[in-house]
Amino acid sequence: MADIQALLTALDVFTRAPDKVSLEKANAWLQDFQHSSEAWTTCNLILRSPDVPLAAKLFAAQTFRTKVTYDLAQVDPALLFPLRDTIIAALEHFKDGPRAIILQLCLALSGLALQLPTWTNAVEGLIDSYGKNPSMVPVLLQFLTVLPEELYSNSKIPVTDQEYADRSAQLLSSCSKQVLGMLSIYLQAPGVTHAIQNQVFACLRSWLTAGEMAAIDVAESPIFEFCFQALASDQLFESATNAICDLIHETQEIDDNMPVIERIVPRIIRLKAILSTSEDDPEKMRGYARIFSEAGETYRLLILQHTETFFPIVEAIGQCSAYHDLDIVPITFPFWMRLAQSMGKKASIPPLLSDAYKSLITVMIKHLHFPSDSSTLTGQELDDFRSFRHVMGDTLKDCCYVLGAEQCLLETLQLVQAALAQGPDIPWQNIEAPLFAMRSMGAEVNPKDEHAVPIIMQLIPTLPTHTRIRYATLLIVSRYTEWINVHPDYISPSLQYISAGFEDSDQDVIGAAGQALKYLCQDCKQHLVPFLSELHTFTANIGTNLAQDDKVVVYEAIAHVISAMPMDQAAQSLKTFASSILAAVFTLASKPGVATKQELQVVGNGLANLEVMLHVVGSFGDLLPPACEGTCQEVWPVFDAFLAKHGSDYESAEHVTRVLRHALNLFGRAALTIAADVLGRMSASFASSGLACYLWIASKVHSRFGDEEDLILREAVRDVYERSTQKILAMLQEKSAAALPDVLEDYIRMLMNMVEFAPDIFFESSAFPAAFHVTLAALTLIHTDTIFASLDLIRMILTHDCLAPDPLKRPPPKFPLYASTIHQAIDKEGFEFTSLLLTGLVGDFPEETASIIVTLFRVLASLWPGRLQQWVPVILQGLPATSAPEDAKVRFMKDLDDAVRVKQYDKVKYAVLGIHRASRKARDRRKVVSLE
């Protein structure tokens, strides 16, 4: 009883509002309890005790299921049948509920049946025992429902593939006809309740979806007809719908299932007449939409081969697509998409199906209408509707796939023209909805179209200026820019229309104008070169009317035009646009006193504009155009002065360094002349601010010019290495490593460049021991990128050629010095390093790090075998059993010792992967049983 009382005490914590410590303590106790061998007996006592709270009994049932899955090896083989009888007795005791307890016990019994091959008549025996006992039929049906699901979905049960195949065949395949016969009897039994019938349908679904019942067997049984009859019952409608959909799905192998399909299709077609009488019942319509759509998707090839026979199904799906409830409409979308894809392979399209897709266009555009009063919708509902419009847009693309974009556009255009013909008081929604459809169809438009798109482009400027209409038309322009590129006569009017959009007071319209300009410049850049001066004037005059995000889009658009120019002209144009931005940077850098936040933001916005231009333009190649010669030397002092004064401001530093990153790419080798100065500034700015972006740029500079032998540059590399290491050590005195993930990652990536390009500086510097220590600190983070970078750096260090030089070659003279430095670091930090590796391996390291850890342990075992064998036992003692089971620790140590003893260091791999797998399994189990 002591165990029961302790269990009840732990469970009671969850009924209150405990503090986090109490909650974690109780949860850990319950998890440990579920691991224990005593849990079998204790849970049985709890289930049999009348005075124990219901929550405890549910936990006991859950524990039985968990232990059957993970811990059946704890049970003496001679006691497995008594365990089975215990679970069955518990099911008899709880035959009247609660259902949650019955479910857990049935899952436990299913898992036991899979692992107990000597229980040869599990299904037959339970049917014989309880099939004729009305009080036990619900329990029997629950067991038969979860049995296929548990066998197919619970991959944690420890059986081999062959054991699984043999046992599942015995439990399921050989019993399917008996189960089907039993289900048929229950459905028609005198006095059967709706609850039992719903359970029968659920059980049928479970065996059907598991592939254990043949569709033909179901079709030839009484249960087949009853599925369709049950649709008339409100209590059985949903269950019958599920069963019919699953049965249809199981006939997707058309040729093999034609006899079944010939029975199904007439009954489905008869349901079409019911649609018109069910429109007031959304749940009925949802069910019918599912049935018709499942039939349409499954039999789409038959629809194409025998269109007239199967067309009533298509008509019914069309009715469901036209239904007013937009939660039901998308059920039909996969059918229209897959039928369209199937028709795309046909030489001709049946007229009936062509007409169906024409009607679908009208239906979708009707659904696209915004409500006449948007205030009736909440903000979330309005966002959901906007998102759903794009889903409907995909269905309109399916229409284009079948009918051709030109015909679809002309059909849509007629709706716009019809709306305009009704006069100026027409609701804006009547125009905007077909415009949105035109935008959605834009992806399917042929750039050489000469019929539909010219009419649309000529119509756009004449449309009402309502903000929603203007927004829609600008996005049409942005979608049709590939067409405009082939028809350059439309560039000038399109530019004028876009420019007018920037003058609108609505921010959405302005944003749409920015998108239109971006894609126009991107797709028509060759044609827009003559307009560049106008675009420059435009950027100078946009002022405060545009939000910064929209300004970035405008500068990105212009950069696309610049990228299409001859190199000399492009360089000069880029310089022209950059000059005003750099002038603002220079002015603020030269201004005495402290800059305001607003002043820094204005400069930062300009740098963001310059950044996107540099990104789009990319590189001019190895030979810079004349306009760029000397630019590095001219511009760098501006940035240097700005960082010297404002480099501790995070946003300013980010903007400048991102521009520098793209400038390195633009100027290429020409940037070598300022590389040492840039490194010096990055070093000083990081030392004063601790901002990670300075290490990021230092790493980029070094990776680009790491092969250079310039002494000044190499000294700058040394300086940034040593000063940044000192700074990070100081930062780690004030903050935990967890507070510095970006700094540590960029620092480590900088060190990786040094190992590759400047190993002499890296290993010979007095900063190396501290750098190694910082790298170990980074391994304490729960941050994937930082962990990978840290492990990669250490791997580069420990697998460096200096530690295992080629005996046939004379090693470089500095190799012994490098090796000595590494040995000193491992002698000092080796225990901590090994501890971090093992703790991370069985803890929070990403799964993919296992291969790197194998490599690191292999190196440790080959170069420091004695030390490793001293460190590991101590480290293993400190690992919690919850993440590293005791037997896994013992096995790891043995495998490691064996590999070291015979000097077969590759076998270290099996030790590492063994404890890794055991750890993952143990932690996965704790996730399963966690009550949080």
Side-chain angles (χ1 to χ4, degrees):
M1 290 299 294
D3 284 346
I4 295 179
Q5 189 55 51
L7 175 61
L8 295 178
T9 301
L11 287 171
D12 184 61
V13 172
F14 293 88
T15 66
R16 296 180 272 110
D19 58 90
K20 184 178 180 182
V21 173
S22 299
L23 195 67
E24 290 178 348
K25 182 179 178 180
N27 199 43
W29 189 94
L30 291 172
Q31 290 175 337
D32 291 339
F33 167 78
Q34 286 191 317
H35 281 71
S36 69
S37 57
E38 293 77 16
W40 297 101
T41 303
T42 303
C43 288
N44 187 34
L45 290 172
I46 290 173
L47 288 173
R48 291 165 52 193
S49 300
D51 300 328
V52 172
L54 193 60
K57 294 185 177 183
L58 176 58
F59 177 79
Q62 291 171 334
T63 300
F64 263 121
R65 192 268 176 110
T66 300
K67 293 193 74 62
V68 164
T69 298
Y70 292 100
D71 296 332
L72 200 59
Q74 292 177 345
V75 180
D76 187 311
L79 298 178
L80 289 175
F81 276 98
L83 172 62
R84 176 203 64 181
D85 297 339
T86 296
I87 298 174
I88 292 175
L91 282 169
E92 292 175 349
H93 179 75
F94 289 101
K95 63 181 184 298
D96 297 323
R99 183 179 178 280
I101 292 178
I102 294 175
L103 175 62
Q104 292 300 319
L105 291 172
C106 285
L107 289 168
L109 193 59
S110 299
L112 180 61
L114 177 60
Q115 299 176 78
L116 190 55
T118 51
W119 188 13
T120 56
N121 66 335
V123 173
E124 301 96 320
L126 288 171
I127 290 176
D128 290 342
S129 298
Y130 300 121
K132 296 179 181 179
N133 181 348
S135 65
M136 284 298 292
V137 166
V139 173
L140 176 62
L141 288 172
Q142 183 69 76
F143 169 74
L144 292 174
T145 300
V146 303
L147 179 64
E149 298 168 358
E150 185 72 351
L151 264 60
Y152 276 91
S153 64
N154 191 351
S155 60
K156 306 297 184 184
I157 297 177
V159 292
T160 66
D161 290 344
Q162 187 59 52
E163 288 171 341
Y164 172 81
D166 294 342
R167 194 63 179 141
S168 61
Q170 192 174 38
L171 290 170
L172 301 177
S173 304
S174 64
C175 301
S176 62
K177 290 188 177 182
Q178 182 181 2
V179 171
L180 179 60
M182 183 198 72
L183 296 180
S184 299
I185 292 172
Y186 285 158
L187 275 179
Q188 304 172 87
V192 64
T193 64
H194 290 310
I196 293 295
Q197 289 174 322
N198 278 316
Q199 275 195 282
V200 167
F201 282 130
C203 187
L204 175 67
R205 289 192 72 199
S206 179
W207 285 69
L208 267 175
T209 55
E212 294 297 342
M213 277 187 186
I216 186 63
D217 291 337
V218 176
E220 291 177 348
S221 73
I223 205 169
F224 175 78
E225 197 63 47
F226 191 84
C227 286
F228 289 93
Q229 294 172 359
L231 293 174
S233 167
D234 290 342
Q235 293 88 348
L236 301 178
F237 181 82
E238 184 176 357
S239 296
T241 298
N242 292 336
I244 292 170
C245 288
D246 289 332
L247 181 60
I248 293 170
H249 187 76
E250 290 305 309
T251 63
Q252 56 189 313
E253 297 295 335
I254 301 295
D255 294 338
D256 297 337
N257 289 285
M258 278 307 299
V260 184
I261 295 171
E262 289 170 353
R263 294 189 181 200
I264 291 175
V265 170
R267 287 165 175 79
I268 291 176
I269 290 176
R270 285 200 291 270
L271 295 176
K272 179 175 177 291
I274 304 176
L275 282 179
S276 58
T277 62
S278 302
E279 291 185 351
D280 293 334
D281 189 338
E283 291 310 310
K284 286 284 182 71
M285 288 298 295
R286 184 189 304 277
Y288 290 131
R290 288 181 55 209
I291 291 172
F292 286 119
S293 297
E294 184 67 50
E297 287 182 60
T298 304
Y299 306 142
R300 59 189 181 278
L301 296 181
L302 292 174
I303 291 173
L304 294 178
Q305 295 166 5
H306 310 282
T307 304
E308 291 188 5
T309 301
F310 286 83
F311 191 67
I313 295 176
V314 179
E315 288 182 303
I317 297 172
Q319 284 183 251
C320 296
S321 295
Y323 192 61
H324 62 82
D325 190 332
L326 296 187
D327 286 336
I328 294 171
V329 171
I331 294 171
T332 67
F333 290 173
F335 162 73
W336 296 114
M337 177 191 69
R338 289 174 182 164
L339 183 63
Q341 291 171 342
S342 298
M343 277 194 285
K345 303 171 185 177
K346 302 294 181 181
S348 61
I349 298 171
L352 286 173
L353 297 180
S354 177
D355 291 341
Y357 276 92
K358 289 178 184 177
S359 299
L360 184 62
I361 293 174
T362 304
V363 165
M364 288 297 102
I365 292 176
K366 181 181 178 182
H367 288 322
L368 286 171
H369 282 62
F370 275 100
S372 56
D373 182 8
S374 295
S375 64
T376 60
L377 301 179
T378 66
Q380 184 60 53
E381 288 172 337
L382 200 56
D383 287 343
D384 291 343
F385 177 67
R386 289 194 181 103
S387 298
F388 182 57
R389 295 180 97 211
H390 292 284
V391 177
M392 290 190 283
D394 291 336
T395 299
L396 287 169
K397 293 175 189 174
D398 297 329
C399 296
C400 292
Y401 193 67
V402 174
L403 303 173
E406 180 180 309
Q407 183 175 348
C408 292
L409 288 174
L410 289 173
E411 296 275 347
T412 308
L413 186 61
Q414 289 177 8
L415 295 176
V416 177
Q417 293 168 334
L420 292 172
Q422 296 178 39
D425 295 330
I426 187 72
W428 62 267
Q429 292 91 338
N430 292 18
I431 300 174
E432 190 274 343
L435 291 176
F436 182 93
M438 290 178 183
R439 170 191 166 195
S440 297
M441 297 172 184
E444 307 299 321
V445 167
N446 184 345
K448 297 181 179 180
D449 176 83
E450 300 293 346
H451 298 95
V453 182
I455 302 174
I456 294 171
M457 298 304 294
Q458 293 163 17
L459 178 67
I460 283 176
T462 69
L463 292 173
T465 57
H466 189 283
T467 54
R468 302 313 303 170
I469 295 175
R470 179 67 67 86
Y471 176 78
T473 51
L474 284 166
L475 291 178
I476 288 176
V477 173
S478 73
R479 185 60 68 89
Y480 288 26
T481 49
E482 291 183 6
W483 182 91
I484 295 173
N485 183 50
V486 181
H487 301 79
D489 291 345
Y490 287 88
I491 288 178
S492 183
S494 296
L495 267 179
Q496 293 175 13
Y497 192 75
I498 292 169
S499 297
F502 283 112
E503 297 173 2
D504 200 289
S505 59
D506 186 90
Q507 287 300 314
D508 286 342
V509 173
I510 294 171
Q515 290 297 314
L517 182 62
K518 170 186 171 180
Y519 288 110
L520 187 70
C521 291
Q522 180 176 311
D523 292 330
C524 308
K525 52 190 176 184
Q526 297 287 353
H527 299 299
L528 282 167
V529 170
F531 295 87
L532 192 62
S533 60
E534 294 178 31
L535 292 171
H536 183 253
T537 303
F538 173 72
T539 59
N541 296 330
I542 54 180
T544 58
N545 193 37
L546 290 189
Q548 173 57 20
D549 288 346
D550 296 324
K551 288 180 183 178
V552 169
V553 172
V554 170
Y555 275 90
E556 180 182 356
I558 294 169
H560 284 295
V561 179
I562 293 175
S563 69
M565 302 173 73
M567 189 181 297
D568 290 346
Q569 295 180 35
Q572 186 57 54
S573 297
L574 182 60
K575 192 171 185 178
T576 299
F577 279 91
S579 294
S580 58
I581 296 172
L582 294 173
V585 177
F586 176 76
T587 299
L588 191 59
S590 305
K591 181 181 177 181
V594 178
T596 65
K597 184 177 181 180
Q598 177 64 26
E599 288 173 326
L600 289 172
Q601 184 176 357
V602 169
V603 168
N605 290 343
L607 290 171
N609 299 335
L610 178 57
E611 177 197 348
V612 75
M613 293 190 80
L614 294 174
H615 172 69
V616 172
V617 171
S619 172
F620 287 124
D622 294 333
L623 188 62
L624 286 178
C628 289
E629 293 178 1
T631 303
C632 283
Q633 294 88 334
E634 296 171 9
V635 172
W636 170 246
V638 175
F639 286 123
D640 189 41
F642 182 81
L643 290 176
K645 191 169 185 179
H646 306 296
S648 294
D649 177 71
Y650 174 81
E651 293 294 338
S652 298
E654 285 288 324
H655 283 305
V656 171
T657 50
R658 287 201 293 265
V659 169
L660 291 177
R661 172 69 184 93
H662 292 296
L664 278 172
N665 187 45
L666 177 74
F667 291 109
R669 187 163 180 78
L672 178 60
T673 57
I674 63 165
D677 292 337
V678 172
L679 285 174
R681 172 50 58 199
M682 298 303 106
S683 178
S685 294
F686 180 73
S688 62
S689 69
L691 295 176
C693 58
Y694 295 120
L695 298 178
W696 177 59
I697 290 300
S699 180
K700 297 299 181 184
V701 172
H702 192 205
S703 64
R704 181 170 287 272
F705 302 116
D707 291 330
E708 300 295 331
E709 295 296 331
D710 183 275
L711 294 179
I712 297 176
L713 179 62
R714 288 176 60 78
E715 192 55 39
V717 169
R718 182 187 300 276
D719 178 69
V720 72
Y721 170 37
E722 295 179 349
R723 292 183 70 182
S724 63
T725 302
Q726 293 172 3
K727 175 65 176 178
I728 290 178
L729 283 176
M731 294 171 73
L732 288 172
Q733 293 296 317
E734 300 174 1
K735 299 180 180 180
S736 67
L740 304 170
D742 294 341
V743 171
L744 290 172
E745 182 182 350
D746 286 322
Y747 172 75
I748 288 165
R749 294 196 184 282
M750 183 185 74
L751 298 187
M752 292 168 72
N753 281 330
M754 296 195 67
V755 177
E756 181 177 359
F757 296 113
D760 55 335
I761 296 175
F762 180 67
F763 289 117
E764 293 179 29
S765 170
S766 59
F768 176 78
F772 193 85
H773 179 76
V774 170
T775 305
L776 297 188
L779 288 176
T780 64
L781 300 182
I782 305 177
H783 192 279
T784 298
D785 291 342
T786 306
I787 290 172
F788 271 109
S790 303
L791 291 174
D792 280 336
L793 174 60
I794 296 173
R795 178 183 54 78
M796 293 172 72
I797 294 171
L798 296 188
T799 60
H800 194 276
D801 290 344
C802 69
L803 292 174
D806 188 340
L808 301 179
K809 297 180 181 178
R810 184 174 181 179
K814 292 189 175 183
F815 266 25
L817 180 58
Y818 298 173
S820 174
T821 302
I822 296 170
H823 275 280
Q824 291 174 22
I826 293 298
D827 289 343
K828 180 180 179 182
E829 306 270 17
F831 177 83
E832 177 65 16
F833 168 53
T834 307
S835 177
L836 288 168
L837 284 185
L838 274 175
T839 302
L841 181 70
V842 303
D844 295 318
F845 280 6
E847 287 279 337
E848 296 80 4
T849 59
S851 61
I852 305 176
I853 295 173
V854 166
T855 299
L856 294 172
F857 262 99
R858 185 187 296 121
V859 174
L860 289 171
S862 62
L863 297 180
W864 293 275
R867 303 297 301 276
L868 185 63
Q869 288 176 301
Q870 293 173 4
W871 298 331
V872 169
V874 180
I875 295 168
L876 289 175
Q877 288 179 9
L879 296 180
T882 54
S883 58
E886 292 303 322
D887 59 336
K889 296 179 187 179
V890 172
R891 188 164 56 251
F892 173 79
M893 193 68 240
K894 181 180 183 303
D895 291 344
L896 181 64
D897 284 340
D898 289 346
V900 170
R901 186 182 69 256
V902 298
K903 297 184 178 180
Q904 293 181 355
Y905 303 114
D906 286 345
K907 290 187 175 181
V908 169
K909 170 183 178 179
Y910 304 111
V912 174
L913 295 182
I915 196 172
H916 180 247
R917 282 192 298 268
S919 167
R920 288 293 180 261
K921 183 177 179 181
R923 290 191 292 139
D924 285 346
R925 174 180 175 172
R926 296 185 77 83
K927 290 177 185 176
V928 170
V929 301
S930 174
L931 295 181
E932 287 188 296

